[in-house]
Amino acid sequence: MTNLRLSYQTVEFGHIDIHLCTLRDKQEFFDPDGVANKLGISSANWPLFGVIWPSSLVLAHHIDGYQTGSKRILEIGCGMALSSLLLNKRHADITATDYHPEVGKFLLRNTELNQDKPIHYEQADWASDQDHLGLFDLIIGSDLLYEDEHVELLAHFINAHANDVCEVILVDPGRGKKNKLSTKMIELGFIPFPLIM
């Protein structure tokens, strides 16, 4: 990460402060060994994981008031993992996933920055069934749908990791894919509730 310009910020949730090291902006890029490129992540898309998006703030503020109890929780496409860091601060059983090869490094750095225990993390490909994640009682995510092919992949990924009783909370900024995802989730047996806008 030494060749990247970074930014530090704090997001407040009542009496809880979450400290974050992020990319300075969406112009940063560092893939000297072509790891991201081999995964199909272009230089233009490379930095998108590393900033805090409005949808992730909406999700985290929603989750702040959510009673997790003993639920096993999965954050999909976590990016800077704001919700995961908040849930970890609250001692919830949280697992974070993303496809980008740098996310795990930032997650570890930010967990240490918040002086919390490590968050279980797995680099996950929605198109693969080779992960070791298991099943969850609550699945969350924000700003996940960019391409039409993501709809089918995401729906099947969620279905593959949902317990028989599982709540799914997704925040979508209105990129035009949420209705397709809702339709697919209904086909898979999920009961619809409005997605957070």
Side-chain angles (χ1 to χ4, degrees):
M1 286 191 278
T2 56
N3 290 328
L4 295 171
R5 297 191 71 186
L6 304 174
S7 176
Y8 290 86
Q9 59 187 291
T10 299
V11 182
E12 297 178 15
F13 299 91
H15 298 292
I16 297 176
D17 292 335
I18 300 298
H19 308 293
L20 295 159
C21 170
T22 67
L23 297 179
R24 184 172 183 227
D25 54 41
K26 294 181 290 244
Q27 305 305 312
E28 299 301 315
F29 175 72
F30 185 66
D31 189 27
D33 299 321
V35 175
N37 187 54
K38 289 172 188 163
L39 293 172
I41 300 170
S42 69
S43 59
N45 289 333
W46 191 94
L48 299 183
F49 82 95
V51 295
I52 299 296
W53 292 92
S55 293
S56 67
L57 287 166
V58 171
L59 177 62
H61 282 286
H62 179 76
I63 287 299
D64 183 40
Y66 187 96
Q67 297 303 311
T68 59
S70 61
K71 291 182 178 180
R72 187 163 189 249
I73 307 164
L74 174 66
E75 183 174 10
I76 301 173
C78 67
M80 285 291 95
L82 180 59
S83 291
S84 289
L85 291 164
L86 174 61
L87 288 166
N88 194 44
K89 181 68 76 178
R90 291 172 44 194
H91 309 292
D93 182 358
I94 179 67
T95 296
T97 65
D98 203 287
Y99 187 58
H100 198 288
E102 295 296 318
V103 167
K105 297 172 192 172
F106 275 87
L107 181 60
L108 181 58
R109 183 175 188 156
N110 284 326
T111 304
E112 292 171 349
L113 196 61
N114 286 281
Q115 300 179 335
D116 288 321
K117 66 181 176 79
I119 294 172
H120 178 72
Y121 173 78
E122 189 168 329
Q123 185 177 352
D125 180 353
W126 298 345
S128 171
D129 59 0
Q130 301 301 311
D131 64 60
H132 302 92
L133 293 166
L135 302 177
F136 295 85
D137 309 300
L138 172 63
I139 298 175
I140 63 174
S142 62
D143 207 349
L144 301 172
L145 299 170
Y146 288 85
E147 308 293 341
D148 282 334
E149 61 264 25
H150 292 168
V151 171
E152 184 102 6
L153 292 173
L154 178 58
H156 285 288
F157 186 83
I158 291 171
N159 191 51
H161 296 293
N163 265 326
D164 290 339
V165 176
C166 177
E167 186 174 358
V168 179
I169 301 173
L170 303 178
V171 177
D172 184 83
R175 298 188 195 280
K177 311 283 189 286
K178 68 181 177 64
N179 290 339
K180 293 177 182 177
L181 178 63
S182 294
T183 299
K184 190 63 188 175
M185 297 300 291
I186 291 168
E187 289 174 8
L188 292 170
F190 288 83
I191 300 170
F193 289 91
L195 276 73
I196 300 170
M197 302 297 286

